[in-house]
Structure formats: structure tokens, C-alpha cells
Amino acid sequence: LTRLPYLNAGDNRLEALPDDIGAMSSLVELRLERNALTSLPASIGQLAQLRELHAAGNGLDALPEAIGDLGTLRMLTLRGNRLRRVPASMARLSRLHTLDLRGNPLEDWPAAIADLPALEKLDLRWVPLPSAPAWVATLRARGCLVYA
């Protein structure tokens, strides 16, 4: 499956992804919505062509640091998981324009995304966060839609 550009594995009750998913080197879009995933393998960071990762409605409680290696990622949908934090490596997602973290029990504002240059939409609705840090106003001032 090294030449497969699109994979929709949503609604399949998957509990884990194989470690060798990183070998799917042509993958541009990966849809994993509404499964039973609690983690993603570190090899996901090897998906050098990946532009969209949709993993809403799982049980993810952490993301691998390797998520920051997805240099072409533009859209990341993690709505409705159990994430308490996002890894600092997300600061390297320089092409990310949409980040959906709705409905996760984040313990603090994800500072790793404060300086993402391409971010156009950040969705943090239904996340019980303390008052917004100053960098949220900076994102809004440059035209990023921030929903909180």
C-alpha cells in the first residue's frame, strides 16, 4: 500500500494501528474517525506526504512526539478524544492551517501552537480551559479564527 494516497478506516472499531503504517509513504489523507484508538504509533511521523489527519471520536489520551514530523500536515482533527495536552513537537507543524481540539479535557492552552505561521482556525470549544493567554489575541490579530 505504499502508493495509496487516501485511506478511510473510520467506523471500524479499530483499537490500534499497525506500527508499519509509516511505510504508507504516499498517504495524503488518513481518516480514523469513530474508532476505539487510545494512541497512535510513533511511525505515523514517517508519513511525509500526509496533509490531513482526521482522528475525531476515538479515545486518544496522548499523541506521539512524532506528530511534529508531519511537515506537510495542513489539517488535524482530534475532536472528542481524551487529550489532556498536546506535545511540544506540534510547534513544528508549519503548514498546519486547521486544528480541531473540541471536546478534549485539555488541562491548559496548547502553547505548542502559539507560533504556527499558517494556522487559520483553532477550535477549542467544549474544552474547560482557564482564561486565554496573550498569544491567543496575537493569533486572532493576524486573522486566525479561535473558537473557545
Side-chain angles (χ1 to χ4, degrees):
L1 299 176
T2 59
R3 295 178 18 195
L4 187 70
Y6 174 83
L7 177 60
N8 186 345
D11 297 304
N12 280 293
R13 300 181 187 160
L14 297 176
E15 295 179 3
L17 293 178
D19 284 334
D20 59 356
I21 194 160
M24 297 179 75
S25 56
S26 297
L27 207 57
V28 173
E29 185 173 343
L30 178 57
R31 293 189 165 271
L32 302 167
E33 294 107 330
R34 297 170 304 278
N35 280 296
L37 300 171
T38 57
S39 64
L40 298 174
S43 64
I44 204 158
Q46 298 170 8
L47 299 175
Q49 303 301 313
L50 196 65
R51 291 188 199 138
E52 295 187 23
L53 175 56
H54 303 273
N58 282 283
L60 297 174
D61 53 22
L63 296 174
E65 285 292 327
I67 199 94
D69 296 335
L70 298 173
T72 60
L73 196 65
R74 290 178 171 87
M75 181 176 288
L76 180 56
T77 306
L78 298 165
R79 173 180 66 242
N81 280 287
R82 296 185 305 205
L83 298 172
R84 295 197 176 283
R85 66 170 198 85
V86 297
S89 66
M90 282 184 63
R92 298 193 313 261
L93 299 176
S94 62
R95 296 185 183 175
L96 191 69
H97 66 71
T98 302
L99 177 57
D100 186 348
L101 291 166
R102 278 181 281 179
N104 279 284
L106 295 175
E107 295 174 347
D108 204 357
W109 287 83
I113 59 164
D115 296 317
L116 292 175
L119 198 62
E120 296 173 3
K121 180 181 176 187
L122 171 61
D123 200 333
L124 291 164
R125 288 178 284 184
W126 312 302
V127 176
L129 290 171
S131 60
W135 58 260
V136 172
T138 303
L139 284 176
R140 285 182 170 141
R142 71 166 206 232
C144 180
L145 298 173
V146 179
Y147 298 101

